[in-house]
């Protein structure tokens, strides 16, 4: 598929509801705009950065390749690509991971225990 936007939309619709909620609640676009302003990226670079991050979030591209993909597709040097990848991890991926953990914990707390099913100790999951 040549259109990244269409690919992202299709992939997003296939994600579990918990993952979709975590991604949309993290306000990814606003964080990326701020990050692009901080790093003085041009509009076309910001668009490429957003595409790379969304492709990674959707599992289309591996997280381990994010830095190299940023360098190649956003057209920045190694140091900038490293800095962007680290910042994206902190301001985009970590909040999404936290929101997803919170959602799954709430969902798990609402799941009734079926008769004969052992009770699990969830105290380690509480922060």
């Amino acid at each position: 598929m040549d259109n990244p936007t269409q690919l992202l939309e299709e992939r997003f619709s296939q994600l579990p509801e918990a993952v979709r909620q975590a991604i949309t609640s993290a306000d990814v676009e606003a964080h990326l705009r701020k990050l692009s302003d901080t790093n003085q990226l041009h509009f076309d670079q910001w668009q490429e950065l957003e595409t790379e991050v969304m492709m990674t979030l959707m599992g289309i591209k591996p997280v381990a390749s994010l830095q190299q993909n940023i360098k190649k597709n956003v057209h920045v040097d190694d140091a900038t690509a490293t800095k962007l990848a680290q910042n994206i991890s902190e301001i985009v991926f970590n909040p999404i991971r936290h929101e997803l953990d919170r959602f799954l914990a709430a969902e798990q707390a609402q799941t009734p225990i079926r008769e004969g099913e052992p009770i699990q100790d969830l105290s380690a999951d509480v922060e």
Side-chain angles (χ1 to χ4, degrees), residues 85-120:
Q86 289 171 345
N87 288 334
I88 289 164
S89 179
E90 292 169 14
I91 66 173
V92 176
F93 294 151
N94 287 344
I96 289 173
R97 189 176 302 118
H98 178 71
E99 183 67 22
L100 183 57
D101 288 344
R102 190 175 70 81
F103 178 82
L104 292 175
E107 188 176 82
Q108 188 176 30
Q110 293 176 359
T111 303
I113 298 174
R114 289 178 261 163
E115 190 173 323
E117 189 174 295
I119 297 175
Q120 297 176 340

Side-chain angles (χ1 to χ4, degrees), residues 10-68:
E10 286 179 17
R11 184 60 179 238
F12 185 78
S13 69
Q14 296 169 356
L15 293 174
E17 180 64 25
V19 177
R20 289 195 311 261
Q21 286 182 2
I23 290 171
T24 56
S25 68
D27 201 9
V28 174
E29 185 177 345
H31 289 301
L32 290 178
R33 282 183 193 238
K34 184 177 180 182
L35 191 57
S36 69
D37 289 343
T38 302
N39 288 279
Q40 301 176 345
L41 299 180
H42 298 287
F43 182 73
D44 58 329
Q45 289 175 301
W46 170 77
Q47 287 180 319
E48 286 296 327
L49 180 65
E50 183 179 34
T51 299
E52 288 303 320
V53 171
M54 294 308 290
M55 292 252 196
T56 303
L57 278 173
M58 302 297 163
I60 297 167
K61 292 186 177 183
V63 174
S65 302
L66 182 61
Q67 181 180 338
Q68 280 306 115

Side-chain angles (χ1 to χ4, degrees), residues 65-83:
S65 302
L66 182 61
Q67 181 180 338
Q68 280 306 115
N69 291 337
I70 290 171
K71 180 182 176 189
K72 177 184 174 188
N73 297 317
V74 180
H75 307 289
V76 294
D77 59 35
D78 281 326
T80 303
T82 299
K83 182 179 172 185

